[in-house]
């Protein structure tokens, strides 16, 4: 996923990135999405989950990372 691709989506509350074969995420990729409540990253190829992926997600209450690796 390209850098800053989500920067203008500040009011987005739900983001589905499942089934995209993602191997890694860029540092602070979601940092401007302070209203995001639900993030689905399940069924990808993420080899590790880093805390800095989720910097700025102040409203996040559901994170689905099932079936990665």
């Amino acid at each position: 996923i390209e850098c800053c691709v989500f920067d203008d989506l500040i009011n987005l509350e739900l983001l589905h990135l499942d089934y995209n074969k993602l191997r890694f995420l860029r540092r602070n990729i979601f940092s401007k999405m302070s209203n995001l409540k639900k993030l689905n990253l399940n069924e990808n190829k993420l080899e590790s989950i880093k805390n800095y992926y989720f910097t700025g997600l102040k409203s996040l209450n559901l994170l689905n990372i099932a079936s990665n690796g």
Side-chain angles (χ1 to χ4, degrees):
I1 299 175
E2 293 297 319
C3 171
C4 308
V5 71
F6 301 121
D7 283 2
D8 293 331
L9 301 176
I10 58 174
N11 293 316
L12 193 71
E13 294 184 2
L14 172 62
L15 181 59
H16 284 276
L17 293 174
D18 40 339
Y19 298 95
N20 279 290
K21 299 180 183 177
L22 299 173
R23 291 177 168 251
F24 67 94
L25 297 172
R26 294 185 187 275
R27 183 179 290 271
N28 301 324
I29 188 76
F30 308 115
S31 65
K32 297 189 179 174
M33 302 181 78
S34 60
N35 292 312
L36 192 68
K37 294 179 181 175
K38 297 179 182 179
L39 176 57
N40 289 315
L41 292 167
N42 57 301
E43 299 290 341
N44 280 292
K45 304 284 184 188
L46 296 171
E47 296 176 4
S48 64
I49 305 295
K50 306 291 186 187
N51 285 340
Y52 57 74
Y53 291 164
F54 312 110
T55 300
L57 296 179
K58 299 173 185 173
S59 300
L60 192 69
N61 59 36
L62 178 86
L63 174 62
N64 187 347
I65 56 172
S67 299
N68 271 281

